[in-house]
Amino acid sequence: MTTSGRLSGKEVALHNSRDSCWIIVHGHVYDVTEFLDDHPGGSRIILKYAGKDATQEYDPIHPPDAITTNLPKEKHLGPVDPETVEKVEVKITDQEKERQLRVAARPSLDEILNLHDFEAIARLVMAEKAWAYYSSAADDEITNRENHFAYHRIWFRPRILRNVAKVDWSTTILGNPSSMPVYITATALGKLGHPEGELNLTRAAAKHGVIQMIPTLASCSFDEIVDAAQPGQVQFLQLYVNNDRNITKRIVQHAEQRGIKGLFITVDAPQLGRREKDMRMKFEADDPSEVSKSGSEGVDRSQGAARAISSFIDPSLEWADISWFKAITKMPLILKGVQTWEDALMAYDAGLAGIVLSNHGGRQLDFARSGIEILVEVVSKLGEKRGVKFPNEKFQLFVDGGVRRATDVLKAVALGATAVGIGRPFLYAFSAYGQEGVEKGLQILHGEFEMNLRLLGAPTIKDVVPEMVDASNVSSHASNVPGDKLYENNYVGMESVRLRGAKL
Amino acid sequence: MTTSGRLSGKEVALHNSRDSCWIIVHGHVYDVTEFLDDHPGGSRIILKYAGKDATQEYDPIHPPDAITTNLPKEKHLGPVDPETVEKVEVKITDQEKERQLRVAARPSLDEILNLHDFEAIARLVMAEKAWAYYSSAADDEITNRENHFAYHRIWFRPRILRNVAKVDWSTTILGNPSSMPVYITATALGKLGHPEGELNLTRAAAKHGVIQMIPTLASCSFDEIVDAAQPGQVQFLQLYVNNDRNITKRIVQHAEQRGIKGLFITVDAPQLGRREKDMRMKFEADDPSEVSKSGSEGVDRSQGAARAISSFIDPSLEWADISWFKAITKMPLILKGVQTWEDALMAYDAGLAGIVLSNHGGRQLDFARSGIEILVEVVSKLGEKRGVKFPNEKFQLFVDGGVRRATDVLKAVALGATAVGIGRPFLYAFSAYGQEGVEKGLQILHGEFEMNLRLLGAPTIKDVVPEMVDASNVSSHASNVPGDKLYENNYVGMESVRLRGAKL
Amino acid sequence: MTTSGRLSGKEVALHNSRDSCWIIVHGHVYDVTEFLDDHPGGSRIILKYAGKDATQEYDPIHPPDAITTNLPKEKHLGPVDPETVEKVEVKITDQEKERQLRVAARPSLDEILNLHDFEAIARLVMAEKAWAYYSSAADDEITNRENHFAYHRIWFRPRILRNVAKVDWSTTILGNPSSMPVYITATALGKLGHPEGELNLTRAAAKHGVIQMIPTLASCSFDEIVDAAQPGQVQFLQLYVNNDRNITKRIVQHAEQRGIKGLFITVDAPQLGRREKDMRMKFEADDPSEVSKSGSEGVDRSQGAARAISSFIDPSLEWADISWFKAITKMPLILKGVQTWEDALMAYDAGLAGIVLSNHGGRQLDFARSGIEILVEVVSKLGEKRGVKFPNEKFQLFVDGGVRRATDVLKAVALGATAVGIGRPFLYAFSAYGQEGVEKGLQILHGEFEMNLRLLGAPTIKDVVPEMVDASNVSSHASNVPGDKLYENNYVGMESVRLRGAKL
Amino acid sequence: MTTSGRLSGKEVALHNSRDSCWIIVHGHVYDVTEFLDDHPGGSRIILKYAGKDATQEYDPIHPPDAITTNLPKEKHLGPVDPETVEKVEVKITDQEKERQLRVAARPSLDEILNLHDFEAIARLVMAEKAWAYYSSAADDEITNRENHFAYHRIWFRPRILRNVAKVDWSTTILGNPSSMPVYITATALGKLGHPEGELNLTRAAAKHGVIQMIPTLASCSFDEIVDAAQPGQVQFLQLYVNNDRNITKRIVQHAEQRGIKGLFITVDAPQLGRREKDMRMKFEADDPSEVSKSGSEGVDRSQGAARAISSFIDPSLEWADISWFKAITKMPLILKGVQTWEDALMAYDAGLAGIVLSNHGGRQLDFARSGIEILVEVVSKLGEKRGVKFPNEKFQLFVDGGVRRATDVLKAVALGATAVGIGRPFLYAFSAYGQEGVEKGLQILHGEFEMNLRLLGAPTIKDVVPEMVDASNVSSHASNVPGDKLYENNYVGMESVRLRGAKL
């Protein structure tokens, strides 16, 4: 204890072992000795910072209040005198130096022509483990890619000779204006990609009149994100329901109080998925000599970031809980992660405001179908069973996953969606270029909407109707008969004419 | 002003800045200072030639009268004394030297066996930006390739033991004789590929008895192209409708007067498409140090050639305008770019002479379906709704996009098309070999028609009937389930037997 | 004969030719002179050990009693004095040294994230011919891969908001408890991969509460494997029916006596398949100079391990034999290798306990369909013909082949299977890591079941119902139209934006 | 003229120009001056041998009597004195030396495991132009490969528990015994691959009890091939119908007299196809300096071997000619190259003995469907229209193209074919190994038939019934939606676990 009533760094430094383990986070000292084995990310990573300042490691993968929420009050040992804390020396590896050279070589934003381009740059300029966390998906990542591929089975039937001098792609989402039928969907751990984290999205969304869905697992705190909004800026909240319903109640009612316009309850993640790209990364970062000693009986210390942050999620959440939500908030309630028409019908009958047809960006159940495929089934069956037509103001359908172009969005709109959520592309945009990247991404979408509404012969979003697409192949899940290697070895492909003297 | 009443190059050279910017085109001086920000291609490229002769840069991407049409009379400053103009020094880059070596190494025309071969050579011998403009297409170029792939889903049902000693593949198109059921469709900016531009097509078409469709956006002027025709040679005109209908009226009536036999009004391009390969090229050509300074707020100076030449196109063109066209011309009217049976039916009911089922070579709306797929739908639905049969003299169906072989053409003919438009292959033919290339391309098609009519058991084009094709798969838009990479990594393909001692 | 009444190694060494050929196996001497031409693996391999100790070569590819069973009593010459036998010098090749380096570099079991990973390591650390035997399949290995790919055409329809706090993936198989709907299916020659052979499976199965099916062609003897089981541990027996039914009767009744709980009679292998990867390996191992002399008339000495061990299998086995099996045993009888609903119906009508829908891991008839595809047909047709529903206690359906994930298993369960057999992945697991590998594999499956039952919204195996999958594409056997090489040669793919100055 | 009444080589050597061009073939001198421009292979190749002995070049691509048949009697100048003829010096190129090294390194026939393997070796050991002629096919070679791929869309439904101790795959073809449901189909120019040409096939067919179909365009003369047959050996004749029906009549009646058991009239080749791989080869062989001079007006000297040998074929052959054939011969008449059920029905109604469903190995019309696909249509429609069932003794169906495995043959048999023709694999077999290669190929097929009949549960060919295959996908001609390159560039595939320290 220093004279200032604060703990001294030297004292903290003594508690540097499994027997007594203190760490410093944001200038406060915590005794985590008993918590070591409960840490979802394993004890190893904590022990690395035993007796030291862990803030840098802690920040990008924990919500700011994670430690205070999870640790009993008596383990909060109070503030530390910053002068007395030894700086954690950060070694800059060769790998990191190369990464910084790549950051310096980023092309001008003018050269970014589409949402794909952000990903191409982000992959090169992000820290590897950040990239692994953002890009990874469940099991063999089949659903992850299917989300994009499914759009390729839907083709346009554009109309001609309609006056498209003026085209307008604005719409309303849950009664709120949006400059396009797109919202920024919730994605976790924004600070992995950029120090400003989710605030990049908030600010860019304000500039371009789109709605941001704030994630439960943001790196910035909920209030930081709401505070960053412009007056009147619309925000939604994505909710993981906590084992402790009081915590959930507090979160929901606080959100309503802060003006959140829609509550998106995640229903496709009773347990967060295994994402092997992310898990593989943990091992590569570890000290190989230690790793090799561990055997099949060893502690499983490598579940990746997803597991590290999600142990609080309640797997017992069920339909019966919906009435409780209705009781605690007046915000529109939307289920995020509906994957069958049967559940869509139950949500409709339960009087909810809408559903997001989503498989969590392919990060949960592999071989879950794409949102766009489910949309076709839901619109058809709810029409048949309840006579409801889409898009529908009272029960709105949303889709997310795999979207890269305005044409993707317009396919969903034609098939009955109110709007489409886009996640990873904006993560990659700010990871590569910060807030300006997100703005550029939105600009690109504006340009694509203008062009494509004209080419579709649809002056407004309302004119984008089911007859404008052919989705008859959307449920086709073909896989080719495996190749006949011996035949292929023997077949010599046709060759084009060549230049004289040319080898190629 | 020189004594000859002409401006002196030295005076022009003083106006070399954004504040006062004069340029020389074809020996005349123009004050473009106020036009700089309106230039569809951006001010940057003009400023590069401020105070200088811009003809070389201007020529391949502007119709000859573009500058006189777009600039108010008072900005036409009159002729310049050529003696006094400083020559623009053209640096021959290493890249260009290598290109010229490739030009010298072109194989003999005898070695060109099919239309694909022209493209293989053109890609190697064209200037990169010319190739980028010709080959580029919309967004992810999915439709561009689908145009070709769609033909691969249509298979033949050839008949045997029919006397095919004499086969005749000539036909008539809008009442005009054609040596084959093919016409040369309109494509812009012919001089990018060859100094003679579209005249290569005119002359080759004359030799081989096929019809050329003259593009609005030709590099040669309309009259140059018509003048180059042989007496009696049939030509059509492709029309982009101008914001100023008087200009359009003048163009149409002039065309009729010059003997044009059909007016193809483009209806799939209210705005010209974003073609990213083309746009990417602009950046690569730019000075990288300048590019890097620009940010997301910067002017978008890089829309590629398409945007640079198309700002005049009227996006408000609509069905109601059709009667106006009927009032100003007696030429047969055809809509180019119809993409649904619904619009085909409207065109039929409007009493037009025909339609081109086309998606603009994949350069406009990505995920637009191929013309050949739409053909099947149109023939079926117009038969059902109006009892009309195809091919039909009074309402002719045309298809373009993706055609490389006479077999492709014969598939379209069997399915009801009167003729098929071929564009890029002829561009590549003259880009690689000038007029002789186009002639060789037509010769190749003649040879393929002879062969394939024999093999189909169809002595004439009329004998190519629907029963000769199986198009039942044409609407199948499959995309494989994404690969299981871990499985594939592990699978070791079968290996063929090897030579003794061989590594391979 | 030594004084000890045992033969001396020196004496044995004299019988080292085709004229008189003795070999030593497990310390006993056998006169195989007359057997040379009947040896399914050819005489060559025996002659290599003429007069020597052949135990090391013999062990991994013969059941321990093969030699005593196949050779008449009078050719059993009795024990040899081990002191007098010359050691067979084993040269360690460079290839083998490299393999041992790879064995030493195996990653920790913690790094194994899925069943695919075992195969990735096993391929690197196994002896080449062992790997060839395990991995090879029939003809072009089309069915082998189709077994895995077929699962990719089946997609999930997961349900939400069901209480999945507790999930339970245990089940019963033929009335016996199993910790998961998975059993370890029979695979031959376990000692090729690991010196403990099938015992690795027995012990790991005990630890994790799963059932092992003991193969007829095990490297360990049946009794060794049963002896290694824990008290109460459930085991099944896979049976190849012998030409000599007395042998079969003895095997079956012995198995029943030892407590085997189910008899799986293989019906898809009247003759064991040609597996060319395996056969190719034999040549590569042979002396090339000798090989080259042989011609088309030569003896076919290279049928691979499969043929070497299977000549006893009776190809005349037929439906009429079923009643004989019923007469000699009370064990539940299951047919392994049923491939049509017609045969499934016959098995049902014959009162059997179940069937395995299987194509022998793709090792028998190429272009046989996958078990999972046949399952859909069988459930549908038996429902239609006999009104039976699945899963069904009295007539159980099993599937094997191509399974790598718990999601694969859950698809089969949803479609009506009681359990799924997994073979090769466990072979690879013990080949890479011994018993611990198999345990890790089972742990991984446990983890995947927990996760995926939650994500499916199915608290127990009984809740995994047909509506949870879309199998409508399972019978689609697409093969793409062959590629148009000339077109593909010419098409230049879209390129992403690049770093400044970057080559890539 | 020498004293022996023979011409002297020196005199011949004087006629070495376009003005007077004599050549020597098989010891006789011919004046081909006036024939130069009529030579289907162009004048260039003849002029190369003007005044010289052309036998070596002539032999492999002309039937032996081609020159005497095509040249008027007065141009046959008589025998030359061989002593006086200058030897044509054959330069052995480096390329040829490498080829001979490869010939020496051929693996033993024992190592050939399947028909694919012959092709793998043949490609390496054949002269390039021979390989090009054998392997080439029409246009983009789509049909050529589709012939093989179509079999991959047909899957087996094998039956179990049938007594297959004895299996018998012999059958009868047009009433003649055959050891398997396979015949060696007609292919041209056998001497390109091996000096014994078609005789390799004759002799191997005799040994293995299969039927050879003798081609019109054999390198050996018809009588040579018939003479090489064993007493009682069955042979068929493939017939190209000549412009001069007297020639055809002579051929047919001579064949009948020599005991030919079936006449297969080719109906898919009124003109022989363009095969670009073959044509491309001609240019590569030519002197590049000369080639470059030629322009689009030049003589087309490069139609490949196919055109060089086929100008006599009559494109006016039609149904009405069938009665003429019936009048001139009693041999069973079969049409080879039927491609629709409509023509199959006409052939049936015309009382023919059978048809071959074939597209000429993909060498004629590209996008013609595979024989196996047509088979399904023909069997279905002839059943519907005429109540006929297949296989049928009175009207037999044959299929050829793309067959590599006995499983392919058994699919065709199950679907109603009497037998299947195999062509290229036997060409490759003798090109690589002469007669022994063909024998080995037949041995391999015998082995595959034995195995696969057992695995199908079909003791004889008659037991191979339609229910044993699922051909419901055979008419599916899918082509994937073109890939999204930008997406694919960004996607980083899953990686397997690696060895510690390993790069791979």
Side-chain angles (χ1 to χ4, degrees), chain A residues 75-102:
Chain A
K75 304 296 186 187
H76 302 205
L77 306 184
V80 69
D81 178 356
E83 305 284 300
T84 63
V85 179
E86 218 179 323
K87 292 283 171 264
V88 177
E89 253 188 292
V90 180
K91 268 191 303 190
I92 299 190
T93 61
D94 286 353
Q95 204 183 17
E96 174 61 14
K97 276 179 205 152
E98 281 170 28
R99 192 186 73 80
Q100 289 178 1
L101 285 176
R102 291 197 297 269

Side-chain angles (χ1 to χ4, degrees), chain A residues 188-210:
Chain A
L189 304 190
K191 286 189 183 167
L192 281 178
H194 190 274
E196 300 286 303
E198 292 81 7
L199 302 183
N200 290 301
L201 301 171
T202 312
R203 293 166 187 151
K207 278 217 182 176
H208 282 279
V210 301

Side-chain angles (χ1 to χ4, degrees), chain D residues 459-471:
Chain D
T460 74
I461 288 297
K462 282 193 201 320
D463 297 307
V464 180
V465 293
E467 293 73 21
M468 279 184 175
V469 292
D470 173 1

Side-chain angles (χ1 to χ4, degrees), chain A residues 177 229-235 261:
Chain A
Q230 295 296 311
Q233 180 175 347
V234 178
Q235 291 175 311
K261 300 296 190 209

Side-chain angles (χ1 to χ4, degrees), chain A residues 108 110-111 113-114 117 145 153 155-161 164 405 411 451 454 473 478 497 500, chain B residues 104-106 117 140 271-272 274 276 280 283 291 294-295 315 318-319 342-343 367 377 475 477 481 483:
Chain A
S108 153
D110 283 357
E111 296 192 47
L113 300 180
N114 50 54
D117 279 352
R145 287 169 285 156
R153 301 195 296 267
W155 290 69
F156 285 118
R157 305 184 71 253
R159 303 303 302 270
I160 56 166
L161 292 177
V164 288
R405 294 276 187 189
K411 288 172 184 177
M451 169 73 74
R454 285 215 169 105
N473 290 275
V497 68
R500 274 179 288 124
Chain B
R106 282 171 305 157
D117 278 352
D140 297 299
Q271 175 176 348
L272 280 201
R274 292 173 81 255
E276 298 184 359
R280 196 86 71 198
F283 280 107
V291 168
S294 155
E318 54 190 332
W319 282 105
E342 293 92 334
D343 284 330
F367 287 98
E377 161 184 313
S475 292
H477 295 282
V481 170

Side-chain angles (χ1 to χ4, degrees), chain A residues 169-171 173 178-183 208-210 419 442 445-446 449:
Chain A
W169 51 97
S170 68
T171 190
I173 301 177
S178 175
S179 69
M180 59 177 84
V182 164
Y183 60 89
H208 282 279
V210 301
L442 289 165
L445 285 174
H446 279 298
F449 276 116

